[in-house]
Amino acid sequence: MLGQIVGGGNYILGNDDGRDKSGDSTNNTLSIVRSLGEANVAQTLILKCDEDTCFVAESKYLKKSKVYRICKIEECMSILERLKDEDWEQYIICSFDEAAVFIDKKEPVLSPFFRTPARGKQIGKLFNKDEQCKLAEKCGLTVPKSIKFHRTENIDNVDFDYPVLLKPLNSTQGEKGDIHICRSKVEVEAALAIESHCADFILQEFIDKEYEIDCIGVRTDKEMYVAGGVRKIRHYPRLIGAGAYGQFRPMEDFDIDVDCVEKFLEQANYYGPFSVEFLHRDNKNYFMEVNFRNEGLAYVATAAGANLHALYLKPDMKIEKNKVHRIYMMNYSLDFLYVKNGELSLWSWIRDLLRTRCFININLKDLNPTVCYYKNKIKQKLHL
């Protein structure tokens, strides 16, 4: 997605690939659009999709903005080439992994003209989860035991205690369906036998978590600020799925060493919105990974009083950090699946719905993407 402010410009590269099967919008991109829109930051969007199935471009915050649609990530370069000679300072923000990796490779070409995520340097190997774990450990974070594993390797040659978490080594080369909890060699073999385009995995010590924390932050040219974290109460699918219901809390509520996170980002040379995932167990917070791009839950921080996207583009902006507050979040289409499968009563779900103040897949200030989505869904059912 691309955005523009007085005296400067920001280019945000987002996607809407239509792969989401739960019926909610592509929140990674919408969270930036809405946060910048609420801060009165004009925006331009480079949207990678064959069809805007989630109607991201219908946001009211893009009504007066340019929206470019591309089918392949490489096509963004011709657009950026046309925009590079503007007289103001311009930022590039990515909202999905493929874009983050692509822009990282183009840092030397783009950084003379744009404020890029690595400011002319490159993140490189740190998109690899194994490399992230090594750096996190050096920076003082607690990391589960992890090893790299290729699907052609013999599992008998791997020295590892079960259960394990099997997940893609690189986010761009795998999907949620490639994440498996395996309690034996037989289960690892069964998981690898499932059809997949992912070849390289990481085998990680399985932490039977009490809960998961998704910390949401930003690194500007002046500071790194982690506003808080979403303590996830429900995921879908259970354990390994996306956050369906949880509570955002200020960082003071969590025993996480923010200085270690700052060291990690300094070593990675990363600037912009990010998230850090931890698993909590027995008074320990185990590092899982850093997302070097914006994520869908980032808007929860905005709703709680910390507009991190606006802060990134306006580093002198003041956030009243003492007023950042707790707030419940929900992805209602994901979370309602627990009612449909009988694991949660309707009345319990309604209680949680009524105390939620931030919905990931609908925004009462910006209803049009959701309205358009459901209108289109009804038309398809009626074959209109």
Side-chain angles (χ1 to χ4, degrees):
M1 169 188 168
L2 310 178
Q4 191 170 3
I5 59 176
V6 177
N10 342 277
Y11 298 90
I12 305 164
L13 185 57
N15 80 329
D16 178 3
D17 58 15
R19 288 183 296 176
D20 184 75
K21 301 299 189 295
S22 62
D24 58 339
S25 293
T26 304
N27 308 308
N28 288 15
T29 305
L30 276 170
S31 68
I32 314 176
V33 171
R34 287 165 172 162
S35 293
L36 294 182
E38 289 180 23
N40 296 314
V41 177
Q43 314 167 46
T44 305
L45 173 66
I46 299 180
L47 186 64
K48 178 183 176 287
C49 62
D50 294 323
E51 182 184 354
D52 188 5
T53 55
C54 297
F55 301 94
V56 174
E58 298 300 323
S59 170
K60 74 175 186 180
Y61 300 117
L62 296 172
K63 291 299 182 185
K64 298 180 181 180
S65 305
K66 290 183 180 178
V67 176
Y68 298 90
R69 288 187 174 87
I70 59 176
C71 294
K72 296 180 180 179
I73 191 64
E74 293 80 9
E75 295 171 24
C76 76
M77 288 303 293
S78 62
I79 299 170
L80 294 174
E81 183 68 26
R82 296 201 301 270
L83 299 167
K84 72 179 185 181
D85 294 325
E86 301 289 355
D87 294 332
W88 48 74
E89 192 170 53
Q90 305 177 82
Y91 288 76
I92 294 176
I93 306 175
C94 300
S95 69
F96 63 113
D97 291 322
E98 184 187 13
V101 172
F102 180 81
I103 294 297
D104 189 64
K105 290 177 181 177
K106 299 294 183 180
E107 280 275 351
V109 177
L110 295 171
S111 61
F113 307 100
F114 301 94
R115 302 293 279 176
T116 51
R119 300 295 194 264
K121 300 179 182 179
Q122 288 178 299
I123 294 168
K125 291 182 179 179
L126 287 175
F127 288 109
N128 176 307
K129 290 184 176 66
D130 185 54
E131 294 295 330
Q132 283 197 20
C133 288
K134 290 176 183 176
L135 178 58
E137 195 164 24
K138 287 180 183 178
C139 292
L141 296 166
T142 302
V143 180
K145 179 184 174 184
S146 306
I147 59 171
K148 291 188 289 186
F149 180 76
H150 192 276
R151 65 163 55 249
T152 60
E153 289 184 61
N154 188 337
I155 192 65
D156 290 327
N157 297 331
V158 179
D159 181 21
F160 218 94
D161 295 327
Y162 292 95
V164 297
L165 182 66
L166 178 72
K167 60 183 181 179
L169 186 64
N170 294 290
S171 299
T172 56
Q173 298 172 7
E175 299 178 356
K176 288 285 186 184
D178 293 311
I179 302 175
H180 305 273
I181 299 169
C182 304
R183 303 185 184 277
S184 66
K185 182 186 79 168
V186 173
E187 291 188 10
V188 172
E189 291 172 339
L192 293 172
I194 297 172
E195 184 177 350
S196 168
H197 297 295
C198 184
D200 294 297
F201 292 85
I202 184 169
L203 276 171
Q204 194 167 68
E205 173 190 0
F206 175 66
I207 306 299
D208 190 9
K209 64 190 176 188
E210 295 168 26
Y211 54 85
E212 184 175 325
I213 308 166
D214 193 351
C215 297
I216 301 165
V218 67
R219 186 180 179 213
T220 73
D221 292 302
K222 290 193 171 184
E223 66 174 323
M224 186 209 75
Y225 173 43
V226 184
V230 174
R231 176 173 169 171
K232 296 180 181 178
I233 297 170
R234 290 191 290 271
H235 308 245
Y236 199 90
R238 185 179 294 279
L239 295 179
I240 60 173
Y245 178 66
Q247 186 184 48
F248 177 90
R249 298 181 178 185
M251 281 307 291
E252 296 74 33
D253 288 6
F254 302 108
D255 185 23
I256 291 174
D257 195 329
V258 177
D259 289 338
C260 293
V261 175
E262 187 168 16
K263 287 179 187 176
F264 183 100
L265 291 172
E266 287 173 354
Q267 291 289 314
N269 301 307
Y270 177 77
Y271 294 84
F274 66 88
S275 62
V276 193
E277 298 173 15
F278 293 92
L279 300 182
H280 184 87
R281 176 74 186 180
D282 296 332
N283 296 318
K284 289 184 180 180
N285 295 308
Y286 292 87
F287 171 88
M288 297 303 287
E289 66 177 298
V290 169
N291 291 306
F292 295 113
R293 42 89 178 159
N294 188 67
E295 69 145 79
L297 296 185
Y299 182 77
V300 184
T302 301
N307 192 330
L308 302 179
H309 305 96
L311 178 64
Y312 178 50
L313 303 174
K314 303 177 182 179
D316 293 324
M317 186 184 89
K318 299 298 181 186
I319 290 178
E320 296 185 70
K321 298 178 181 180
N322 62 325
K323 292 187 178 180
V324 177
H325 56 276
R326 293 186 180 190
I327 187 173
Y328 283 98
M329 54 71 55
M330 179 186 284
N331 182 323
Y332 66 82
S333 56
L334 274 183
D335 203 49
F336 191 71
L337 295 175
Y338 280 107
V339 178
K340 293 179 73 173
N341 67 20
E343 293 186 57
L344 186 68
S345 74
L346 177 61
W347 295 114
S348 294
W349 185 78
I350 290 174
R351 177 204 63 193
D352 293 339
L353 179 81
L354 291 176
R355 66 181 179 181
T356 297
R357 294 295 177 266
C358 180
F359 292 95
I360 300 304
N361 48 332
I362 188 171
N363 187 299
L364 297 179
K365 299 176 185 177
D366 183 31
L367 279 171
N368 211 36
T370 306
V371 171
C372 289
Y373 174 83
Y374 285 111
K375 282 172 67 176
N376 186 62
K377 194 171 184 180
I378 291 168
K379 285 181 180 179
Q380 289 178 344
K381 287 193 174 183
L382 296 175
H383 306 289
L384 296 178

